[in-house]
């Protein structure tokens, strides 16, 4: 099968799963996504450590240049990280679905869940980063990262079943993530219909909205396969959603006394988020100009 055909298979499965009605109904899907994420991350770093460092590996910087260029490269890397975590503001949407009262506020269990979740995220990502750097160093593939490295360097050393299971876990995790990140979009579309028509969204329209959204994603993925090269730029643009807007929203809702401690903290953090976003955008644009982007419409590989 071609790459486009695999994209289509993924989209069809994602569209079928997206027919679940709301965030509460996809709790099981979220659990499967979490289990597969822990599974493939563990598999990747364990295999890399077990196979040892590659012959001729070194840890010198891939790109040279002066201190300014290195600093801009680091800022671009922060933009890529921001892009990777861009959807984590979804926890606000999840908290909004939880019952809350003055006696039992929803933020208490939510905060516990967030701490557990990010502990698991750290337990997955830090071993992958450390083991990958140790095992592959400068030889890490430019595209595909650790998963591509397993196939490129260890396809003849480890079981094909293990490689297939790892790749399958990544695909399942992506399917589950698609449902979690898409559900607020579906809810927003359906709520607009409900408010405008003053009646519940019928099942056929709900189904059509989700099918349409899924295939729009398919079209974007096929039409602009080079978007991954712009990850740092996109992350920089989206950064205020995480670091700035929540602070300004809190100031708007709570309206604290001017120049109080919380007023100053939120204004500082919000302004810092906007400023950091500007730095990341500038750094990403510089890196894109320096390294170039291979633009290829409708040619995914």
């Amino acid at each position: 099968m071609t790459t486009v055909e695999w994209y289509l298979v993924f989209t069809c499965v994602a569209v079928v799963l997206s027919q679940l009605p709301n965030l509460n109904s996809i709790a099981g899907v979220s659990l499967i996504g979490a289990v597969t994420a822990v599974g493939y991350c563990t598999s990747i770093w364990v295999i890399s450590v077990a196979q040892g460092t590659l012959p001729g590996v070194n840890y010198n910087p891939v790109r040279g240049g002066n201190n300014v260029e290195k600093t801009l490269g680091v800022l671009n890397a922060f933009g890529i990280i921001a892009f990777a975590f861009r959807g984590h503001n979804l926890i606000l949407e999840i908290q909004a679905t939880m019952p809350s009262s003055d006696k039992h506020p929803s933020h208490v269990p939510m905060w516990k869940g967030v701490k557990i979740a990010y502990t698991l995220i750290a337990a997955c990502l830090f071993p992958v980063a450390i083991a990958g750097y140790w095992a592959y160093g400068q030889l890490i593939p430019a595209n595909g990262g650790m998963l591509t490295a397993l196939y490129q360097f260890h396809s003849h050393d480890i079981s094909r079943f293990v490689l297939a299971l790892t790749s399958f876990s990544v695909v399942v995790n992506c399917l589950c993530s698609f449902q979690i990140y898409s559900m607020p979009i579906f809810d927003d579309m359906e709520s607009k219909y409900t408010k405008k028509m003053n009646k519940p969204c019928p099942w056929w329209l709900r189904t059509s909205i989700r099918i349409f959204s899924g295939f729009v994603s398919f079209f974007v993925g096929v039409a602009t396969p080079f978007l991954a090269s712009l990850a740092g730029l996109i992350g920089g643009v989206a950064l205020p959603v995480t670091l700035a807007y929540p602070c300004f929203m809190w100031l708007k809702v709570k309206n604290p006394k001017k120049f109080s401690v919380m007023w100053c903290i939120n204004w500082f953090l919000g302004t810092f988020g906007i400023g950091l976003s500007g730095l990341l955008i500038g750094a990403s644009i510089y890196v894109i100009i320096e390294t170039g982007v291979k633009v290829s419409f409708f040619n995914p590989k």
Side-chain angles (χ1 to χ4, degrees), residues 113-126:
V114 168
K115 288 190 288 186
I116 293 172
Y118 276 89
T119 299
L120 289 173
I121 290 171
C124 289
L125 296 187
F126 278 106

Side-chain angles (χ1 to χ4, degrees), residues 86-102:
R86 70 202 177 283
H88 285 214
N89 281 52
L90 190 67
I91 59 176
L92 301 175
E93 297 282 347
I94 296 172
Q95 184 175 337
T97 67
M98 299 171 62
S100 183
S101 65
D102 293 337

Side-chain angles (χ1 to χ4, degrees), residues 121-206:
I121 290 171
C124 289
L125 296 187
F126 278 106
V128 169
I130 295 169
Y133 181 72
W134 173 78
Y136 307 112
Q138 197 182 47
L139 300 176
I140 191 76
N143 297 312
M146 293 283 285
L147 188 62
T148 301
L150 290 186
Y151 281 90
Q152 184 172 327
F153 300 118
H154 304 305
S155 59
H156 301 294
D157 304 325
I158 57 179
S159 167
R160 300 293 292 178
F161 172 78
V162 173
L163 288 174
L165 183 61
T166 303
S167 299
F168 180 73
S169 298
V170 173
V171 173
V172 172
N173 176 261
C174 291
L175 283 169
C176 297
S177 299
F178 181 88
Q179 310 309 317
I180 297 168
Y181 293 147
S182 298
M183 195 59 70
I185 300 174
F186 302 151
D187 286 345
D188 183 64
M189 292 180 179
E190 292 165 15
S191 65
K192 286 181 178 178
Y193 174 88
T194 301
K195 289 178 181 178
K196 185 175 182 180
M197 305 302 294
N198 198 26
K199 63 179 181 179
C201 187
W203 69 267
W204 60 267
L205 182 58
R206 181 185 297 112

Side-chain angles (χ1 to χ4, degrees), residues 3-79:
T3 303
V4 175
E5 289 169 342
W6 279 117
Y7 279 22
L8 184 60
V9 170
F10 179 91
T11 303
C12 291
V13 177
V15 165
V16 171
L17 289 175
S18 70
Q19 301 308 314
L20 294 169
N22 51 47
L23 276 172
N24 286 328
S25 64
I26 60 173
V29 174
S30 177
L31 177 61
I32 294 172
V35 171
T36 52
V38 173
Y40 76 72
C41 286
T42 303
S43 175
I44 287 172
W45 74 260
V46 167
I47 292 172
S48 299
V49 170
Q51 295 297 320
T53 57
L54 297 175
V57 68
N58 69 78
Y59 307 104
N60 297 323
V62 177
R63 293 175 60 221
N66 55 42
N67 290 333
V68 174
E69 292 177 340
K70 292 178 181 178
T71 301
L72 292 173
V74 170
L75 289 173
N76 181 62
F78 278 122

